[in-house]
Amino acid sequence: MRTSSRLRIQVLLIRILLSVVAIAAIVKPVVAQNSNSIEVSTPETSTYPDLSLRFRVMDGTGNFNKNLDLTSVKIIENGQLIVPDKLDLLEPGMRLIVAINEGPTLANRYAQVARIDKVKNALIDWAKTKTITSMDDFSLVANAGIITSNSNDPADWLDVLDNYQPDMKKAKQGLTSLSAAVDLASTTQTGSQKTAAIFYVTPLPTKDEAAGLADIISRAKLGNVRLFVLLAGPQSYATDPLAQPLIQAADETSGQFVVFTGQEDLPDLGLYFDSLTYIYKAVYRTTINDSGNFSVAVRITQGQSVIESEPKGFKLDVTSPNAIFVSPPAEVERTWTVTDKPKDSVLTPDVVPLEIMIEFPDGLKRDLVYSRLFVDNMMVDENTSAPFGTFEWDISKIDQTGTHVISASIEDIAGFIVQTVELSVDVNVQPKPKSWFEKTLSVFTAPTIALFVVIAAAGVLLVLLALRALRNNRATKKVKTHRLEDPLTQPVMIENEILHPNIAAEKNQWPHIPGLGLAPARLVLLSASKGQTNFPAEIPLGEGNVTFGSDAKKARVVFATPMISPLHARISRLDQDQFKLFDEGSGSGTWLNYAPVSQYGARLEHGDQVQFGAIIYRFEIYQSNPRKLKVEPFKEEE
């Protein structure tokens, strides 16, 4: 009897010991994993250069630390310590997906309670702690597929769990439920800030299942899904090689792995999941202004306690922005307003609006610190607040036509400073309208005044020349009148007088004209004033006019005597043997056979006597016969 009692006591002690070991196997991993730890997510870079970093801090009891403030948090970016600008405690909630790999092992009973029922009871107890205002949602997936998904009403969770009554003894285990749960978590996680977690209840996987876990675990990691694995079976499963993929999956996704024998009660599942409901969000201004791979960590200081997370790697692609002028003007016209009084006219426009387009090739659109407009390398406008893309160029002081160079520069909050290309703009200023008085004065320019002076001088000169010519004509008429009245100068009538004998010269004695040959006619000197011997003895007459006078500039044949006028007379050839003598208004007169010759001229014949003042020549035509002349009294031509 005593032996039987002792045996019963020993069995009871063994059971108690096994229960303690089982509980320790469940609770210990939870506490060890979460004790004084920081879990950091990949930084959100879409708001560059302000990066947001989400992290969780677990205290020594495995609970979420809700007592942080800005003074206790530091960001370590590439080894540089940065104080965050903002720290928020968020409660985005959790997305829990319970995936049950149904199989006979879950039907095993201890104290008349099946393993699956204990799991359901633990889930029901946890669901009862949630309220309708909870941000969490719940899904249940079995081997046959999704039973419910994303339910956010705890009462619905309880109904689903109560109604879940599978026949575990007939069920066939596999990876269907886990694969479907990962797909559901990854799909609903897109764009959500909730933490996705899968509570996977499973027997020990077979060899084929263990081989297929690698792909599912990879998908879970890619979707940022945490795996909490509850392996149903004896404690020896913890070291079974087939359980290693599950242990690895929980470790690599920041989850938990627990062996559940069924003899013990599951602890409060809030120790696993409640901390996933909360998360800290820190916003800080990064010092990175280049592309590359970087790291970030979080340091928490509370009292004497200092903990630091493992560095989290992230990649950042960032480039400087572009600034481009939008439809800049090639030229600007400044014109005067039309008014009744020109003095009231003003130039318009006074302002030229300009616009730039700002692009961010890296896709990280960010605010600007300033935008500035430069004209001819001088800043003329600046924006220090939005809108940054518009400027006003004040041209009110530009009153001369010219070319100006415009450019713009910007600086963004990341510290990038860029400048547009320089563009040339022609500003054309219209001349100011003039009053009638100004228009009149404008006529008197230096060239115009000079022209007026020249015209006036020419007019005066013409008047003087006309007066001189008039005076000379009067003097000539007076001389001619005097000659006609003087008895000594009257012509003498000689009847049938042979004026001169045959004076035909030999050919070799006749004068030549260069380029023409023998002269058609000539003048032969007969007599001159006493003491004058420098007159040409023979003057050849050819084509055109032969002029006589005392001025070499006006006469071809020059008589150097004051009795001869500067341009005294002229002999012109009319035809082959026809010549005519003209007086050119001389003072001492021109005579033909003792008869005065006027400006209208007289025809010359062979042997005629031609007299220029007191100089007498005989006119001869080559190979011509002499003739008799009848000298008649002079008759003034009208």
Side-chain angles (χ1 to χ4, degrees), residues 2 13 163 167 197 233 319 329 368 387 393 402 419 433 544 571 588 609:
R2 290 181 179 178
L13 290 174
N163 295 328
D167 187 355
T319 57
L368 299 184
W393 175 17
Q419 183 172 341
I571 295 178
S588 58
Q609 182 173 297

Side-chain angles (χ1 to χ4, degrees), residues 100-140:
I100 299 178
N101 184 8
E102 299 166 341
T105 300
L106 295 179
N108 291 347
R109 293 175 176 269
Y110 292 90
Q112 303 301 316
V113 180
R115 288 172 173 165
I116 187 60
D117 291 332
K118 286 194 173 184
V119 173
K120 285 175 55 179
N121 292 336
L123 288 170
I124 290 172
D125 291 341
W126 174 74
K128 288 179 179 179
T129 64
K130 300 297 179 180
T131 63
I132 190 64
T133 59
S134 173
M135 300 300 295
D136 302 331
D137 58 50
F138 177 81
S139 300
L140 179 61

